[in-house]
């Protein structure tokens, strides 16, 4: 390794680069562009993935939403246009007859006026069970979510979103233990959470109260607004969706081919589409980046072949003076690795700067398409190591060419 510290070694590399400044510069730009593309595309892919996780990360991915609508066909004496109403008994039938279920969570919703002292606002009020926090995780800031005791005792407690806190409370007021009025009924605030992108109540926010309390206050009886159904990971959520809808049609005497009576949204299927897109995007990113890198490295190999041809007489003199074939090879390989390393470092730095600019500009704000576009350090190290290996391998070609010429023939070269 002493040759790496040898001043003459680096002077020779510098002299070679200085003789062909334009050619060397263009070659370095080619390799730099390759790793720059790789870094930026990987960062952009990560930004899209981060945004996707922000949107859907709180949901159990293997989930489907089911609700009732009007029938589209007459069946068993019932006319077309009959309004279907889901019941709590439907949930028990689903739990007992459908395989592969993890959670079946009923939900209710109304709009209501909430008041705290002289501050008011109209918000979405949801009747929920504790299991909701398992299929749609709440990012709690203070307190807790609904628990089993709340359900059993029909407690008048509520959990509010952060946006509601900002509208109904003075700044720095601790909300837990305070009371707010919802449609003139006092509710004890037991929790506050950050608003999610998906499933939230829009800019106004949501309030959650126990399902049984909602039933009693709004005189719902055993009605259900809609269900969130989560399947076990090993079961196909699309099949679960079809089985649930068919069962509900049978329970409510709906024609089996009626596609309107029972509505659904398969979150698991939609998420699978997005994850498939992200996987394809990452593969394409690596393919484009590596292909561009290889093209740039081959360009370095071609430049070194030309350089070797131009320096044939010089190499012949070195061989005649006693330089071994390995010493000649080593010098050319070192030049190849040096050029690829410089180009790689510049590409990584430039790519990092571009990702920082993207993060500061279009990567911030609630509507950002790219969230925190970054590249993991191990990925950068792997890319850099790959570049060095490619530089070494491509340097072997001109190096072998350099030592394949006999010294006496090299000295005759004009």
């Amino acid at each position: 390794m002493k040759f790496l510290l040898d001043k003459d070694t680096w002077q020779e590399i510098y002299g070679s680069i200085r003789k062909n400044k334009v050619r060397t510069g263009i070659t370095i730009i080619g390799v730099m562009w390759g790793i720059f593309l790789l870094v930026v595309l990987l960062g952009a892919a990560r930004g899209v993935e981060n945004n996707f996780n922000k949107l859907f990360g709180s949901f159990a991915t293997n989930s489907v939403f089911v609700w009732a609508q009007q029938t589209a066909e007459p069946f068993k004496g019932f006319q077309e246009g009959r309004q279907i109403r889901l019941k709590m008994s439907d949930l028990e039938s689903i739990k007992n007859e459908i395989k592969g279920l993890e959670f079946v969570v009923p939900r209710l919703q109304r709009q209501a006026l909430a008041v705290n002292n002289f501050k008011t606002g109209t918000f979405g009020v949801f009747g929920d069970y504790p299991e909701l926090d398992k299929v749609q995780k709440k990012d709690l800031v203070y307190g807790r979510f609904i628990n089993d005791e709340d359900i059993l005792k029909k407690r008048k407690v509520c959990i509010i979103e952060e946006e509601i806190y900002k509208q109904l409370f003075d700044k720095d007021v601790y909300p837990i233990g305070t009371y707010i009025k919802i449609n003139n009924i006092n509710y004890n605030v037991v929790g506050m959470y950050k608003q999610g992108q998906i499933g939230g109540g829009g800019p106004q926010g949501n309030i959650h109260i126990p399902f049984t309390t909602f039933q009693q206050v709004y005189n719902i009886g055993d009605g259900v607004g809609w269900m969130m159904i989560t399947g076990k990971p090993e079961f196909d959520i699309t099949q679960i969706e079809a089985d649930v809808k068919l069962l509900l049609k049978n329970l409510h005497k709906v024609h089996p081919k009626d596609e309107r009576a029972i509505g659904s949204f398969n979150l698991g299927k939609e998420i699978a589409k997005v994850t498939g897109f992200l996987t394809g995007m990452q593969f394409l990113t690596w393919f484009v980046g590596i292909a561009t890198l290889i093209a740039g490295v081959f360009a370095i190999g071609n430049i070194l072949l030309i350089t070797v041809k131009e320096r044939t007489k010089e190499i012949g003199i070195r061989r005649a003076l006693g330089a071994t074939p390995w010493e000649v090879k080593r010098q050319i390989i070192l030049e190849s690795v040096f050029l690829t390393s410089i180009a790689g470092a510049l590409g990584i730095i430039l790519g990092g700067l571009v990702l920082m600019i993207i993060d500061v500009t279009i990567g911030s704000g609630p509507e950002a398409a790219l969230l925190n576009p970054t590249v993991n350090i191990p990925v950068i190290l792997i890319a850099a190591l790959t570049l060095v290996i490619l530089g070494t391998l491509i340097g072997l070609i001109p190096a072998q060419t350099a030592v394949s010429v006999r010294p006496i023939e090299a000295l005759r070269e004009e």
Side-chain angles (χ1 to χ4, degrees):
M1 299 298 289
K2 290 182 179 179
F3 74 96
L4 291 176
L5 302 176
D6 188 0
K7 183 178 178 182
D8 292 338
T9 299
W10 295 104
Q11 280 183 338
E12 187 171 343
I13 291 174
Y14 172 71
S16 175
I17 293 173
R18 188 178 60 180
K19 287 178 184 177
N20 307 285
K21 286 186 264 187
V22 175
R23 193 165 60 194
T24 303
I26 293 173
T27 305
I28 288 177
I29 289 173
V31 179
M32 181 185 72
W33 179 250
I35 199 160
F36 167 79
L37 272 182
L38 183 63
V39 170
V40 172
L41 290 175
L42 283 175
R46 173 58 65 86
V48 173
E49 184 178 356
N50 289 340
N51 192 43
F52 170 76
N53 290 333
K54 181 183 177 183
L55 291 174
F56 295 99
S58 62
F59 279 96
T61 55
N62 206 29
S63 298
V64 62
F65 303 85
V66 179
W67 61 90
Q69 302 179 140
Q70 291 183 339
T71 59
E73 299 183 31
F75 189 64
K76 290 187 176 181
F78 293 99
Q79 295 296 317
E80 175 187 349
R82 175 168 55 99
Q83 179 66 50
I84 304 301
R85 182 171 173 266
L86 298 180
K87 301 177 182 179
M88 290 297 293
S89 57
D90 296 335
L91 273 76
E92 295 304 318
S93 298
I94 290 172
K95 290 177 182 178
N96 293 332
E97 299 187 33
I98 304 297
K99 294 182 180 179
L101 300 181
E102 191 166 14
F103 299 106
V104 181
V105 184
R107 303 196 68 188
L108 294 165
Q109 179 186 7
R110 291 283 177 86
Q111 289 293 114
L113 178 69
V115 180
N116 181 31
N117 295 325
F118 298 103
K119 297 184 177 183
T120 65
T122 301
F123 311 107
V125 178
F126 290 78
D128 288 312
Y129 275 89
E131 287 78 11
L132 179 68
D133 194 39
K134 296 178 181 178
V135 299
Q136 186 184 346
K137 188 67 181 175
K138 302 300 179 186
D139 186 6
L140 288 168
V141 179
Y142 301 119
R144 61 174 178 83
F145 196 64
I146 296 164
N147 60 30
D148 293 330
E149 285 293 309
D150 297 332
I151 297 293
L152 183 63
K153 297 179 180 179
K154 301 179 182 178
R155 290 172 173 167
K156 291 183 175 59
V157 297
C158 67
I159 293 87
I160 62 174
E161 276 189 324
E162 198 170 32
E163 287 301 315
I164 295 177
Y165 168 80
K166 292 176 182 177
Q167 293 184 55
L168 296 184
F169 291 85
D170 292 329
K171 189 177 180 181
D172 298 328
V173 171
Y174 185 65
I176 306 305
T178 61
Y179 284 84
I180 62 174
K181 280 188 176 182
I182 304 174
N183 283 354
N184 291 319
I185 298 175
N186 284 318
Y187 288 81
N188 185 13
V189 179
V190 296
M192 186 184 87
Y193 66 98
K194 291 183 180 179
Q195 184 176 18
Q197 292 288 319
I198 300 295
Q204 297 301 312
N206 288 335
I207 301 173
H208 301 267
I209 66 175
F211 190 91
T212 50
T213 306
F214 193 107
Q215 286 178 311
Q216 185 181 59
V217 169
Y218 293 99
N219 195 25
I220 298 298
D222 65 344
V224 173
W226 77 97
M227 309 174 192
M228 295 179 66
I229 300 172
T230 302
K232 294 178 180 177
E234 63 271 21
F235 285 84
D236 182 10
I237 192 62
T238 302
Q239 185 60 52
I240 290 175
E241 176 188 17
D243 292 343
V244 168
K245 291 176 74 172
L246 182 59
L247 176 60
L248 290 174
K249 288 176 183 179
N250 289 334
L251 291 173
H252 292 273
K253 296 181 174 59
V254 175
H255 195 287
K257 294 183 179 180
D258 190 333
E259 298 298 326
R260 190 177 71 182
I262 306 297
S264 65
F265 175 75
N266 195 321
L267 182 62
K269 186 165 65 175
E270 298 304 316
I271 288 178
K273 290 179 184 178
V274 178
T275 53
F277 168 76
L278 291 175
T279 302
M281 184 176 175
Q282 289 177 341
F283 173 78
L284 182 63
T285 295
W286 277 105
F287 178 79
V288 171
I290 294 297
T292 310
L293 276 181
I294 292 173
V297 170
F298 269 106
I300 286 180
N302 289 331
I303 291 299
L304 290 176
L305 279 172
I306 296 171
T307 302
V308 166
K309 180 67 176 175
E310 292 173 348
R311 294 165 60 191
T312 301
K313 189 170 184 178
E314 174 192 330
I315 293 171
I317 294 172
R318 290 185 61 190
R319 293 286 305 281
L321 293 175
T324 65
W326 166 241
E327 288 175 338
V328 175
K329 279 185 178 181
R330 184 180 64 190
Q331 182 68 29
I332 296 171
I333 291 171
L334 180 60
E335 186 173 338
S336 174
V337 172
F338 176 74
L339 290 176
T340 53
S341 299
I342 290 295
L346 290 174
I348 291 170
I349 293 170
L350 186 60
L353 289 174
V354 169
L355 289 179
M356 288 174 63
I357 293 170
I358 291 174
D359 189 36
V360 172
T361 54
I362 65 174
S364 58
E367 303 298 326
L370 301 177
L371 183 64
N372 190 24
T374 56
V375 181
N376 291 337
I377 295 298
V379 172
I380 293 295
L381 293 177
I382 290 172
L385 181 62
T386 301
L387 197 59
V388 171
I389 292 173
L390 289 174
T392 302
L393 294 176
I394 205 67
L396 288 172
I397 298 174
Q400 184 60 41
T401 301
V403 299
S404 64
V405 181
R406 296 173 59 188
I408 189 65
E409 294 175 357
L411 289 171
R412 291 174 182 168
E413 184 76 21
E414 292 297 332

